[in-house]
Amino acid sequence: MRRLPVFFLLDCSESMIGGNLDKLKKGLQDIVMDLRKDPHALETVYISIIAFAGKAKTIVPLIDLISFYPPMLPIGGGTSLGAALRELRYQIDNKLHKTTPDCKGDWKPIVYLITDGHPTDRVGEELRIWREKYAQKVNFIAVSLGNSSDISVLHQLTETVIILNDNHQESFTHFIKWITASVSSHSQNINKDIALLNDYNNVLNLSDARNYKPYDENCVVLVGKCSNTIRPYLIKYNLVDNVINLSKDQQQKYQLTGCYPVDNEYFDWSDEIKTSILVNTNQLIGTPTCPHCSNPSAFAMCSCGNLLCIDHTGLVTCPWCNQYLEFNMDMPNEDFDVIRGKG
């Protein structure tokens, strides 16, 4: 039986922390469960997962639906789309069954790229290689979760760029059903184009490259460490559209949405080249508690430039550099710059 390879390129960058990443995990489970009910898909569909943040890796090699088990998705700093395309090319070149005089190879693969941000690596050369050597070999669908992805880059990969504007759970469920329906339909009629958008156009919109708008950053993600457990966490702030600081050149404001525990694998998936982009604390609304030890503030900064959590005493050893620190808890808070993640 000829295989129908389906590759998922999943953005696991910092900006996906929280809701989007959790939805992707459940979405993968739902896709596989529904496809297992389709006898055509059960016979032909093979799934592979490529995750990318600051780095890209295949976390699930091509495997049949029965044997597939949804993986734990990582989280890391950076959105290395170029590295993800390189990894995808390697999988296509080395893992697909080629047609020989004696037998036919795999069907034309389907690729779903799901992302919510801009590439943070040099992607130009990878885009050129993809257009010249691979674009005709696959059915490629690029999906932007919201409007913050670089739509112009996605259109260089494929004509089929879809924007999921509504990020509510019900809309995301419809989106997952569309993916399932498109794979199922394709497994039954291999020569049929991936379509079915009309059934889901209330939440899915085909993008037009001519309507591309300049990127407007919609979140700030910061990394800190717990002073007690030495474990990392991510603080996420989302852009507040209707708040403007009139006294300081109309700076953008960001509202705290959560502080999330992560493990040290986060650093393995993060771009090794640190960003020098700063955000000032006067742009950030809200101070989180530590998700590991519940210290009242997870937003204290050491002289080494890193964030840590502190208790009401203000006495702490920095979990990054082991420097002993004493914060004056009676002093009013002063604004300062902090290095933001790549998202």
Side-chain angles (χ1 to χ4, degrees):
M1 179 65 68
R2 298 176 70 181
R3 304 185 305 177
L4 174 60
V6 180
F7 293 93
F8 288 93
L9 270 65
L10 303 182
D11 181 348
C12 296
S13 60
E14 296 166 327
S15 57
M16 293 284 289
I17 191 75
N20 281 344
L21 203 64
D22 293 338
K23 289 174 186 174
L24 274 185
K25 292 176 185 177
K26 186 177 186 306
L28 285 174
Q29 294 176 337
D30 292 343
I31 289 170
V32 172
M33 287 178 61
D34 286 343
L35 287 177
R36 285 173 178 168
K37 301 173 185 176
D38 181 340
H40 294 281
L42 201 59
E43 287 185 355
T44 60
V45 172
Y46 278 63
I47 291 179
S48 177
I49 309 292
I50 297 174
F52 66 99
K55 301 173 184 176
K57 300 177 187 177
T58 295
I59 57 176
V60 178
L62 276 172
I63 193 169
D64 62 274
L65 283 175
I66 292 296
S67 304
F68 178 84
Y69 186 82
M72 290 295 296
L73 297 180
I75 194 78
T79 307
S80 295
L81 178 59
L85 292 173
R86 257 192 318 276
E87 178 64 16
L88 176 60
R89 289 195 289 108
Y90 175 85
Q91 295 297 318
I92 291 173
D93 290 341
N94 295 280
K95 304 301 180 181
L96 297 189
H97 296 164
K98 306 296 190 295
T99 296
T100 67
D102 299 322
C103 67
K104 291 187 176 181
D106 292 332
W107 295 108
K108 189 176 183 178
I110 307 172
V111 177
Y112 293 96
L113 166 64
I114 303 176
T115 182
D116 76 338
H118 273 217
T120 57
D121 61 348
R122 295 182 180 276
V123 73
E125 180 65 11
E126 289 300 324
L127 291 173
R128 183 192 65 77
I129 294 173
W130 183 265
R131 290 193 303 269
E132 292 179 0
K133 299 182 179 180
Y134 292 85
Q136 302 305 314
K137 296 180 180 180
V138 304
N139 291 303
F140 198 114
I141 301 94
V143 180
S144 170
L145 300 181
N147 293 307
S148 296
S149 300
D150 192 332
I151 305 300
S152 65
V153 167
L154 300 184
H155 270 290
Q156 292 182 63
L157 289 169
T158 175
E159 294 180 357
T160 308
V161 177
I162 296 167
I163 300 175
L164 180 62
N165 285 316
D166 188 347
N167 204 24
H168 291 95
Q169 182 59 52
E170 182 179 355
S171 298
F172 198 87
T173 299
H174 283 298
F175 164 61
I176 293 300
K177 287 182 178 178
W178 170 76
I179 291 182
T180 305
S182 64
V183 173
S184 179
S185 174
H186 202 68
S187 70
Q188 296 174 43
N189 189 345
I190 298 296
N191 296 317
K192 183 178 179 181
D193 289 335
I194 297 211
L196 301 173
L197 274 177
N198 290 337
D199 295 334
Y200 301 92
N201 58 13
N202 58 323
V203 293
L204 300 178
N205 299 302
L206 276 172
S207 168
D208 188 332
R210 293 171 298 180
N211 294 331
Y212 170 66
K213 297 179 181 179
Y215 173 61
D216 183 17
E217 205 166 21
N218 74 337
C219 72
V220 170
V221 181
L222 309 169
V223 59
K225 276 188 180 181
C226 173
S227 302
N228 291 303
T229 67
I230 322 299
R231 295 172 61 191
Y233 53 80
L234 296 179
I235 310 171
K236 185 176 182 180
Y237 293 83
N238 280 344
L239 180 66
V240 180
D241 293 325
N242 60 351
V243 176
I244 298 177
N245 184 351
L246 297 177
S247 65
K248 294 192 177 182
D249 300 324
Q250 297 187 336
Q251 289 179 308
Q252 292 174 323
K253 291 283 191 174
Y254 299 86
Q255 177 68 54
L256 177 68
T257 58
C259 187
Y260 305 94
V262 294
D263 55 33
N264 285 314
E265 188 183 19
Y266 162 81
F267 299 107
D268 297 332
W269 281 88
S270 296
D271 192 336
E272 295 174 356
I273 301 175
K274 290 186 177 182
T275 176
S276 59
I277 303 172
L278 301 175
V279 63
N280 193 274
T281 54
N282 66 21
Q283 298 175 254
L284 307 177
I285 304 170
T287 301
T289 59
C290 178
H292 294 297
C293 72
S294 299
N295 267 347
S297 174
F299 208 121
M301 190 166 77
C302 176
S303 58
C304 69
N306 292 303
L307 295 179
L308 61 145
C309 71
I310 56 174
D311 62 18
H312 66 280
T313 68
L315 305 176
V316 67
T317 298
C318 176
W320 298 89
C321 68
N322 292 321
Q323 180 182 178
Y324 180 75
L325 305 171
E326 183 174 351
F327 291 89
N328 189 336
M329 306 303 288
D330 296 325
M331 289 285 291
N333 292 329
E334 295 184 359
D335 293 325
F336 56 90
D337 291 332
V338 59
I339 296 176
R340 64 191 302 165
K342 290 189 174 181

